[in-house]
Amino acid sequence: MKRFEEILDTCVNDIKSGKSSIEDCLKQHPELRQDLEPLLRIAVGLPRLPAVAPSQEFRRRARLALEKAMARQGLLPRIEEGLARAFRPARLRLSAAVVAVLVAVVVVFGGGGAVAYASQSSLPGDPLYPVKTATEQGRLLVTFGPAAKAQYHLELAQKRVAEVVTLANAGRPINQGTVEAIATQVDTALTDLQKASPQQTHAILAHFSSQMAETQPALAEAQKHASKQETERIAQTNVLVQRGQVIARSISEDPSLRDQPVSVKVAQQGEVKGAISSLNPLVIGGTEVATSPNTRISGALAVGKAATAQGTLGAGGVLQASSIEVQAGTESTAVQFKGAISNLNPLTVAGRKVVLAPDAQVTGVLQVGLIAGIEGELQQDGSVLASHVEVEPVLQEVKLQGNITSLQPLKVGDTVVVLAPDAKVEGSLRLGATAQVTGSFLNDGTFQASSMKLSEEKQGGGENQGQPGQGNKGQPGNEEQNGGKPPTNTPKQNHKGPPAGEQEKPTQAPSSGQETPAPAEGQQIPPATPGGQRETPTPPATPAGGEKKPTSTPTPPSDKETPTPTGSGHKTPQPPPTTGQPTPGPKPGKEEQKEGVIVSIAGNNITVEANKNDRVTVKVTGDTQITIDGSPGNVSDLRVGARVKVQFDPGTGVASEIEQSKAGSSTSGPEK
Amino acid sequence: MLIEKAIKGDKKAFTDLYEMHLTRVYRHIYYRVGTASDAEDLTQEVFLRAWHSIRSYVPGKRPFIAWLYVIAHNLVIDHYRKRGKARLVPLDDMPPAAGARQDADLESMLDLDTVRRLLAKLSGDEQKVLMLRFVEGLDNPDVASALGKSQGAIRVIQFRALRRLRKLLQGAEAIK
């Protein structure tokens, strides 16, 4: 027998094509008349909405704007446009300043405003590039106030990023100075913002964070075409962009962090321990170590000896040593070093390929831009087989406060929160509860919580419990941020929840066999996702598994959604869904199947968490069959937070199949 | 082919695509935001963004118009966020009250403003399916490919969306 939704669809098609009328259709399905008729009437009524068309004037205007934008092709104009949009008032203020600078350029360079103008599209290495940077400096001189200065520094950082991309795409060399300028500009902006108001800081950094996120695809694309020599510089840029994004996002949410010393620059102080494998150049534990007359060296340097070098980690992973200590005796191939993660596949730390040993202990989440300490064995090919990896978050202890607006994914205000496996949760996790969360932002904009304290929201009445408020935003603990208003905890004014009695009715849950169309063709339909979600795939919701449990769809306010696994909701303080019970795999024999959420991806090792006490790390090999939403994929398509089914050999940990049902990360573009 | 040319940076091709799709994108946004000025701003932004990220569009994965709708959808969400306005009242369907119109009359209630207001209460997928299926007139396979879902899934979403819209219409009428 056909399902109701199929009959509905057939009727809709027939009516749309003129094959039959509503009445014809109802006659064919008299038993369904009551349910079918109103839906068909709406379906027929919708196309009759008044035709809406843009005005001719708008058509012309929009086309002109588009042509203008296309004329200024490339990433640079794109970033400028973004900044112009974001910082409109500041730019208006500055327009006079720009004129002043141009005049100054005329005087200083004797060239004329046209030269300064022409220089604006120049790239490092071009004859006019110095004019461009001089103009920027001039403008900076006439930019007043910490917020405006910070904005301008961030604008310059973005310009430098755009230059790196443009140079890479043009196959031109990227100089180290350009990359370093990105870090300098961002760090200067962060310093300036210490004097700006929390509101300004929030606005400026939130925008900068999203702009940085937007540049990542262009960088990734550029990296693909870049020569080997330039790849390292692009990787460094990528690290800065990712760090910049996370730092900006963290401080924008918690402006009190401005006072912490923070830098996008990667661990200046470096240390490397290992055997000396070469003297010229000096290589310790696989890391090239540069010395100067000031380097203190204790012991005699000799190949095969174990040594520890300390100093400044420079470009390209070279350690500028301030001291080298040669230990007595020889050491094996053990190495220890620290550096930024510049790539996840293959895992690259401080410019070196790192392979995780099957039993490697990894603390923290591996992400580009974060600093990782590595301990392991140097391999013949120069890579490091790591036994310990410790990832440091960019910023410790970001505090987020807000109401729980969604349980699946778990959201505090607008921010998607993932609980760390060892996160402490105090109180009951339910919609509307006020949450104080401590943790750190991840590159994809999600927030990894190490602890979460929940208190019940004060409600006017008990009826609305379980209903979210209206768009309350995850606010930092700083009250000034919200114009002095306490950010949360205010009783909700606008709940229009259903009256008692309607409350228990699940919005999308089955109410009868007939009305419960099971997802067809094997596709899981999540229980009604709330309106206005950002177009990003979400992990399928916890399957009801035939139980009559109401799915009690939470109804968060409109929001972007970053897909992240969270709990199934009901008073369970551990979000990773508990649906991932190990199920007997379809293949007989020794293989096991596990369903859960990817909590970390380290090289070819994928850790899947079925529930709090049940996680497994599997290894992807060339034979592992990976499917993403039913299509063949590879390991780089797998995403932390995505729900997967894994078929693996419990003895070796090697996965034979990984099926990712929905991938996702918060992106600005619709396609990745 | 226009799209392939546009991906390669052919401005003329992209301008042609703009001409082809402007009205549909505008209408799609207009139904969601309700004012011409907002719809114009967002529509313009859709095409600017589309141009800037045209290289990320994968022909064959979904129709170009569907890709534009995705950009539009995201911009509409941003639009509401920036305005700091909770776009939605709680999403639960308002209960039909005594005195609600009979279902047969619902069709006549489908005025633009009501529909726009109520559509906003549906989930993102539900909104898109209704818009594409009924307002844009795409058939089921096209909607499925546009949204990257199976046809069965589209049927289910369509059913849920219509059922939900029906309840909302009843509720809207009840509070009139």
Side-chain angles (χ1 to χ4, degrees):
Chain A
M1 199 184 111
K2 272 189 170 180
R3 291 205 195 96
F4 183 81
E5 73 274 9
E6 287 173 32
I7 294 168
L8 173 69
D9 193 55
T10 309
C11 287
V12 165
N13 286 335
D14 289 350
I15 294 167
K16 275 173 77 177
S17 65
K19 247 162 89 181
S20 56
S21 66
I22 293 182
E23 205 46 47
D24 296 338
C25 220
L26 295 173
K27 274 181 194 158
Q28 283 172 31
H29 305 283
E31 74 288 0
L32 299 176
R33 172 178 278 273
Q34 206 183 342
D35 292 323
L36 203 53
E37 183 175 1
L39 304 192
L40 287 176
R41 293 204 179 278
I42 293 171
V44 167
L46 280 174
R48 295 186 195 151
L49 289 174
V52 175
S55 68
Q56 282 307 318
E57 197 274 329
F58 166 66
R59 288 189 90 95
R60 192 187 49 77
R61 190 157 37 89
R63 186 175 166 143
L64 274 176
L66 180 66
E67 285 170 349
K68 209 170 146 192
M70 290 194 297
R72 291 179 289 137
Q73 202 169 8
L75 183 69
L76 197 60
R78 176 186 179 182
I79 288 171
E80 282 172 347
E81 272 167 26
L83 286 163
R85 275 198 303 279
F87 305 142
R88 212 164 270 149
R91 281 176 75 97
L92 286 175
R93 272 204 314 277
L94 286 168
S95 57
V98 172
V99 173
V101 170
L102 292 178
V103 172
V105 168
V106 174
V107 175
V108 174
F109 293 92
V115 175
Y117 181 77
S119 72
Q120 293 311 295
S121 58
S122 63
L123 294 168
D126 287 348
L128 281 180
Y129 192 73
V131 180
K132 180 179 179 178
T133 51
T135 311
E136 290 168 356
Q137 289 306 312
R139 181 168 153 188
L140 203 51
L141 287 174
V142 289
T143 301
F144 302 103
K149 275 188 190 294
Q151 266 181 18
Y152 191 56
H153 282 297
L154 294 175
E155 192 175 336
L156 294 181
Q158 301 236 42
K159 280 189 176 176
R160 300 294 92 87
V161 174
E163 286 164 5
V164 168
V165 172
T166 313
L167 287 170
N169 287 338
R172 290 175 52 179
I174 300 162
N175 67 46
Q176 188 62 32
T178 308
V179 178
E180 281 168 9
I182 298 167
T184 308
Q185 296 294 357
V186 176
D187 282 353
T188 311
L190 292 175
T191 310
D192 284 339
L193 285 173
Q194 290 179 344
K195 293 172 221 137
S197 75
Q199 291 95 325
Q200 287 170 322
T201 304
H202 173 76
I204 292 169
L205 289 182
H207 180 75
F208 179 69
S209 173
S210 65
Q211 289 286 305
M212 284 273 126
E214 278 190 25
T215 59
Q216 283 163 25
L219 272 171
E221 190 62 28
Q223 197 160 5
K224 280 188 206 160
H225 312 299
S227 66
K228 206 173 171 188
Q229 200 182 349
E230 307 312 330
T231 304
E232 172 64 17
R233 299 267 157 84
I234 299 175
Q236 286 173 25
T237 305
N238 195 22
V239 166
L240 293 173
V241 163
Q242 303 252 17
R243 287 176 69 79
Q245 185 200 340
V246 174
I247 290 172
R249 178 78 198 259
S250 302
I251 300 180
S252 80
E253 290 295 337
D254 188 353
S256 65
L257 294 171
R258 289 177 300 169
D259 302 329
Q260 280 191 17
V262 63
S263 165
V264 288
K265 283 183 190 144
V266 173
Q268 291 296 314
Q269 293 305 308
E271 183 182 271
V272 59
K273 275 184 194 171
I276 300 172
S277 57
S278 154
L279 288 178
N280 190 18
L282 177 60
V283 178
I284 301 176
T287 298
E288 188 177 334
V289 177
T291 56
S292 71
N294 295 329
T295 307
R296 293 186 308 275
I297 302 177
S298 59
L301 292 167
V303 171
K305 292 253 188 185
T308 303
Q310 285 180 328
T312 313
L313 200 58
V318 176
L319 187 82
Q320 293 289 335
S322 56
S323 72
I324 300 174
E325 196 181 327
V326 183
Q327 277 94 32
T330 57
E331 197 166 300
S332 66
T333 49
V335 287
Q336 198 179 332
F337 64 97
K338 206 183 231 192
I341 302 170
S342 58
N343 202 348
L344 289 180
N345 191 17
L347 180 61
T348 310
V349 178
R352 300 170 65 177
K353 188 177 161 195
V354 174
V355 179
L356 293 186
D359 57 347
Q361 286 181 12
V362 181
T363 46
V365 180
L366 289 167
Q367 286 208 328
V368 171
L370 299 187
I371 306 295
I374 307 288
E375 271 181 58
E377 297 281 325
L378 189 62
Q379 305 294 291
Q380 289 209 330
D381 64 355
S383 67
V384 175
L385 183 68
S387 54
H388 286 82
V389 178
E390 197 172 334
V391 187
E392 298 172 358
V394 175
L395 273 164
Q396 304 277 359
E397 299 278 296
V398 178
K399 287 191 178 71
L400 197 68
Q401 182 174 320
N403 287 3
I404 306 268
T405 54
S406 161
L407 291 170
Q408 195 166 4
L410 180 61
K411 279 188 182 179
V412 174
D414 285 350
T415 305
V416 175
V417 173
V418 199
L419 293 187
D422 55 350
K424 286 179 203 156
V425 179
E426 284 177 45
S428 152
L429 194 59
R430 63 177 66 189
L431 283 173
T434 302
Q436 284 180 304
V437 198
T438 306
S440 53
F441 276 99
L442 306 180
N443 286 344
D444 63 1
T446 55
F447 187 86
Q448 191 182 39
S450 54
S451 73
M452 186 181 242
K453 225 177 187 176
L454 296 135
S455 50
E456 282 305 315
E457 189 189 14
K458 283 174 198 164
Q459 297 273 356
E463 284 179 7
N464 282 332
Q465 237 170 31
Q467 297 292 331
Q470 287 201 8
N472 54 325
K473 188 175 159 8
Q475 292 289 3
N478 195 326
E479 293 191 359
E480 282 178 78
Q481 164 112 11
N482 206 9
K485 288 180 205 160
T488 50
N489 273 337
T490 47
K492 292 287 160 279
Q493 302 294 324
N494 297 312
H495 281 178
K496 285 190 191 170
E502 287 288 316
Q503 175 80 19
E504 293 303 316
K505 204 161 98 183
T507 32
Q508 294 296 330
S511 53
S512 74
Q514 177 78 332
E515 284 225 323
T516 327
E521 298 176 21
Q523 176 139 357
Q524 274 291 355
I525 302 294
T529 42
Q533 280 160 337
R534 182 114 181 164
E535 166 76 9
T536 317
T538 48
T542 311
E547 288 175 39
K548 283 281 174 189
K549 231 190 255 178
T551 40
S552 174
T553 313
T555 56
S558 71
D559 202 351
K560 288 183 186 182
E561 174 148 299
T562 310
T564 314
T566 56
S568 53
H570 304 280
K571 300 177 190 174
T572 313
Q574 284 299 329
T578 53
T579 51
Q581 299 298 331
T583 47
K587 285 188 185 173
K590 57 181 182 173
E591 288 225 314
E592 254 185 48
Q593 194 185 60
K594 191 148 296 204
E595 190 178 341
V597 167
I598 298 180
V599 291
S600 88
I601 300 173
N604 289 332
N605 293 293
I606 314 294
T607 304
V608 175
E609 183 171 278
N611 62 47
K612 189 185 164 192
N613 300 315
D614 184 9
R615 52 161 64 188
V616 65
T617 299
V618 297
K619 200 169 186 174
V620 175
T621 67
D623 294 333
T624 307
Q625 196 183 325
I626 297 176
T627 50
I628 310 292
D629 285 338
S631 309
N634 57 45
V635 70
S636 62
D637 299 322
L638 297 173
R639 294 278 174 266
V640 170
R643 174 155 283 277
V644 286
K645 263 189 213 163
V646 182
Q647 188 105 2
F648 65 103
D649 180 337
T652 60
V654 171
S656 59
E657 278 177 38
I658 300 181
E659 195 184 325
Q660 179 172 293
S661 41
K662 291 272 179 182
S665 62
S666 183
T667 59
S668 54
E671 304 274 355
K672 279 274 121 188
Chain B
M1 183 151 169
L2 274 183
I3 288 168
E4 275 145 16
K5 282 185 182 170
I7 291 172
K8 286 179 187 155
D10 185 329
K11 293 167 192 166
K12 169 80 175 61
F14 190 81
T15 312
D16 289 347
L17 287 169
Y18 158 84
E19 290 292 347
M20 278 167 67
H21 296 299
L22 177 72
T23 302
R24 292 172 82 182
V25 170
Y26 176 85
R27 185 168 49 188
H28 185 85
I29 293 176
Y30 185 88
Y31 283 141
R32 308 277 294 277
V33 297
T35 69
S37 66
D38 286 344
E40 287 179 356
D41 285 352
L42 294 173
T43 304
Q44 186 170 330
E45 187 63 20
V46 166
F47 284 95
L48 287 174
R49 288 206 182 183
W51 168 248
H52 287 309
S53 45
I54 185 81
R55 282 194 297 170
S56 71
Y57 173 68
V58 184
K61 188 175 169 191
R62 58 174 102 185
F64 188 67
I65 182 69
W67 187 65
L68 294 176
Y69 286 146
V70 172
I71 301 177
H73 177 78
N74 288 342
L75 281 170
V76 168
I77 301 307
D78 283 344
H79 167 75
Y80 281 107
R81 283 191 66 188
K82 280 181 193 154
R83 282 178 26 173
K85 177 180 158 187
R87 181 164 64 104
L88 312 173
V89 294
L91 287 169
D92 270 42
D93 302 352
M94 282 172 274
R101 286 197 197 186
Q102 292 302 303
D103 280 330
D105 289 340
L106 289 176
E107 194 185 336
S108 61
M109 281 187 63
L110 291 169
D111 65 87
L112 181 57
D113 191 53
T114 308
V115 170
R116 196 181 60 71
R117 206 162 39 80
L118 300 183
L119 269 180
K121 299 183 182 184
L122 303 184
S123 76
D125 275 348
E126 289 168 351
Q127 291 180 29
K128 275 181 277 182
V129 167
L130 289 190
M131 291 292 291
L132 295 177
R133 191 88 171 87
F134 299 111
V135 181
E136 298 301 334
L138 300 188
D139 59 18
N140 191 320
D142 283 345
V143 178
S145 106
L147 301 183
K149 294 180 186 298
S150 70
Q151 292 184 40
I154 297 300
R155 282 196 290 269
V156 172
I157 296 170
Q158 170 181 273
F159 160 68
R160 286 181 175 166
L162 287 171
R163 186 178 59 175
R164 207 134 177 241
L165 193 56
R166 174 196 174 192
K167 275 191 186 177
L168 289 166
L169 279 163
Q170 287 173 326
E173 175 58 15
I175 57 170
K176 265 189 183 177

